[in-house]
Amino acid sequence: MEKRRIQIFDTTLRDGEQVPGAQLNTKKKLKIAKQLEVLGVDIIEAGFPASSPGDYKSVHDICKSIKNPIICALSRAVKKDIEIAASSLKYAKRSRIHTGIGTSDCHIRYKFNSTPEKIMSIAIEAVKYAKKFVEDVEFYAEDAGRTKNDFLAKICENVIKNGATVINIPDTTGACLPEEYGEKIHFLKENVKGIHKIVLSTHCHNDLGLATANSLKGIINGAQQVECTINGIGERAGNTSLEEIVMIIKQNKYLNLYTNINTQLITPTSHLVSKCTGIKVQVNKAIVGVNAFSHSSGIHQDGIIKKKETYEYINPKDVGIEKSLIILTARSGRAALYYRYKKLGYFLNKTSLKLIYSIFLKYADKQQKEITDKELKKILKNSNLHKKEIKILNHSRNRKIINVF
Ligand code: KIV
Ligand code: ZN
């Protein structure tokens, strides 16, 4: 069976940038947009132009300099917002307006003090109005995760009838379990007339740490687009992270899916977004955390030195990392210490390794941190090895055995 292409809709510059303290000026937004283009995303949600003149300018300028991805602008289901979004997209080679409204009982009752009938009509009018400006209109049913499936299906059917080309099913509060979200997508696929003419999109938030799992269930059940951000940044606990969903698709051939992402650019893109937004990536973050390809326990290090695949499921080169690291701490073993000295050019024999390892352990226990190359050299220099005339092979001298002390 032919592989199915999953479109990557990147919302780092919209949902990601909403995070307090992450606001980006036009120059930084442009820089990130250019990087997203080379990364290979299909759609860049460049901003919410009605929210501020600065965001309007960012979307406007991004449209002028980006060629390949579709540029998308967010708007509420409000005529003025839609007009501003359309105007900001004037120079886009390919443009999309993303408009919508809350559809859950909670949103209808408390946010809008309205009724399902009125919300339905606002949704239809918004799509119709956006269609006057652009061909490609994406509708979002905010809080779809907590919206009853029957009402969600009705609203989807009506916006499709009125020209929506993409429908976004956001789990806005991160409330869904993967099975539940997958079933929702399946239900819509089975029960909405016209659903096969449009692209169905996932948009999951990470309040329970399930954003990526939910998006995965969504695409397994037939969604064709994933909305995500670099490093998973976004409202509260964030959005589905691009690097996670893309690498899940790449690593699991049986899914029979693919994306257009050049995965080797994932790490530089992550660094750029972190630098521009000032949001640090947690050290153990999947794929892009500094520890994602670092091995520090003795058992793991021993395995990795013997054969990478023992503890490395993803090839670091696939995400733009030259090689994984063997980190030395008090939890490291002799194999790792030998390996690291070897990298520095010192080949310790059995006796010298035994001695140095015991000195190293005492030192590392005191330091309670990673031990650097500089410290390793110092440990060697301060040891009593020279007295015992232990031979150390110096790598830089063509593997000739010499006494370094
Ligand atoms: O989480 C959400 O519901 C959103 C919509 C505005 C698309 O970000
Ligand atoms: Zn969102």
Side-chain angles (χ1 to χ4, degrees):
M1 208 168 61
E2 217 180 296
K3 280 191 172 190
R4 186 159 62 89
R5 159 97 174 258
I6 298 297
Q7 309 240 355
I8 297 296
F9 175 115
D10 182 279
T11 183
T12 306
L13 299 178
R14 200 279 298 170
D15 220 342
E17 198 247 9
Q18 283 174 214
V19 176
Q23 266 72 57
L24 298 163
N25 59 27
T26 298
K27 202 171 150 203
K28 284 182 179 168
K29 275 197 153 189
L30 209 50
K31 208 169 172 182
I32 294 175
K34 284 182 181 160
Q35 180 66 21
L36 292 173
E37 181 170 37
V38 293
L39 181 66
V41 309
D42 299 285
I43 302 107
I44 296 176
E45 186 163 49
F48 177 13
S51 68
S52 78
D55 217 29
Y56 176 93
K57 183 170 163 32
S58 297
V59 178
H60 177 271
D61 289 7
I62 287 171
C63 288
K64 280 190 161 174
S65 62
I66 298 295
K67 285 192 205 77
N68 295 318
I70 293 171
I71 307 299
C72 178
L74 185 84
S75 83
R76 292 169 296 176
V78 171
K79 279 192 170 175
K80 192 74 198 152
D81 272 26
I82 295 171
E83 285 161 16
I84 297 172
S87 155
S88 74
L89 291 168
K90 193 162 62 190
Y91 294 105
K93 315 284 169 294
R94 293 190 294 155
S95 57
R96 177 182 296 177
I97 291 179
H98 188 191
T99 187
I101 192 158
T103 53
S104 64
D105 286 349
C106 175
H107 279 222
I108 295 174
R109 186 155 168 212
Y110 298 109
K111 193 171 147 185
F112 302 114
N113 189 21
S114 189
T115 62
E117 294 71 30
K118 281 186 195 151
I119 294 296
M120 178 78 78
S121 119
I122 295 169
I124 293 170
E125 287 313 310
V127 170
K128 268 192 190 162
Y129 196 60
K131 274 306 253 199
K132 290 188 197 294
F133 303 96
V134 292
E135 172 45 37
D136 192 3
V137 174
E138 175 166 341
F139 174 78
Y140 66 84
E142 195 179 12
D143 205 15
R146 293 186 298 170
T147 300
K148 288 191 194 89
N149 285 349
D150 287 339
F151 182 60
L152 191 58
K154 256 190 224 151
I155 212 159
C156 288
E157 204 161 298
N158 278 313
V159 294
I160 292 172
K161 261 192 218 147
N162 286 282
T165 47
V166 183
I167 295 184
N168 177 12
I169 307 298
D171 183 21
T172 306
T173 59
C176 285
L177 294 176
E179 284 304 319
E180 196 184 351
Y181 189 78
E183 274 166 22
K184 196 174 276 288
I185 297 294
H186 182 76
F187 181 86
L188 296 174
K189 280 273 182 192
E190 292 293 306
N191 293 287
V192 174
K193 228 205 237 144
I195 198 92
H196 301 291
K197 291 192 295 200
I198 61 110
V199 169
L200 199 55
S201 182
T202 68
H203 178 116
C204 300
H205 279 269
N206 206 30
D207 299 67
L208 287 170
L210 291 172
T212 301
N214 285 344
S215 301
L216 179 62
K217 274 290 188 185
I219 54 178
I220 288 172
N221 280 282
Q224 303 102 314
Q225 176 180 286
V226 174
E227 307 197 1
C228 48
T229 61
I230 303 294
N231 301 335
I233 62 169
E235 282 284 336
R236 307 180 308 280
N239 290 58
T240 299
S241 79
L242 180 147
E243 58 277 8
E244 290 173 14
I245 197 75
V246 165
M247 289 311 291
I248 288 169
I249 291 172
K250 188 178 170 78
Q251 293 289 117
N252 292 282
K253 307 279 179 251
Y254 77 93
L255 290 172
N256 220 20
L257 303 171
Y258 72 102
T259 72
N260 188 43
I261 298 297
N262 176 352
T263 61
Q264 292 185 344
L265 296 179
I266 282 178
T267 299
T269 309
S270 162
H271 290 171
L272 178 71
V273 168
S274 176
K275 191 168 159 227
C276 290
T277 57
I279 299 178
K280 289 204 177 88
V281 177
Q282 76 187 55
V283 291
N284 59 328
K285 167 81 182 63
I287 321 289
V288 291
V290 284
N291 290 352
F293 295 97
S294 299
H295 306 278
S296 55
S297 90
I299 297 169
H300 290 208
Q301 290 173 331
D302 182 50
I304 279 283
I305 291 164
K306 287 174 179 151
K307 177 95 178 149
K308 288 242 179 304
E309 287 73 13
T310 52
Y311 290 98
E312 223 161 69
Y313 172 59
I314 302 167
N315 182 346
K317 285 198 170 65
D318 282 352
V319 296
I321 292 174
E322 196 40 51
K323 56 179 174 349
S324 53
L325 297 175
I326 298 283
I327 303 291
L328 290 181
T329 69
R331 301 289 160 267
S332 302
R334 273 168 220 225
L337 191 68
Y338 176 82
Y339 173 86
R340 282 283 298 272
Y341 272 118
K342 190 172 118 187
K343 290 256 157 212
L344 289 171
Y346 303 107
F347 284 64
L348 302 177
N349 65 21
K350 227 176 173 177
T351 334
S352 54
L353 180 61
K354 194 174 167 199
L355 181 79
I356 294 287
Y357 184 63
S358 70
I359 302 172
F360 161 80
L361 272 190
K362 278 186 203 132
Y363 180 79
D365 256 339
K366 255 193 227 145
Q367 298 301 313
Q368 303 258 302
K369 65 162 189 72
E370 179 187 340
I371 306 304
T372 64
D373 285 351
K374 205 170 152 196
E375 288 168 299
L376 286 182
K377 284 183 187 165
K378 214 165 138 196
I379 289 172
L380 202 57
K381 201 162 172 228
N382 294 342
S383 73
N384 288 327
L385 278 180
H386 58 297
K387 287 183 195 149
K388 296 175 185 171
E389 293 189 326
I390 289 165
K391 285 176 180 171
I392 293 168
L393 185 71
N394 186 319
H395 194 54
S396 63
R397 296 190 187 185
N398 291 334
R399 301 172 143 258
K400 211 170 67 185
I401 295 182
I402 54 154
N403 281 322
V404 286
F405 298 113

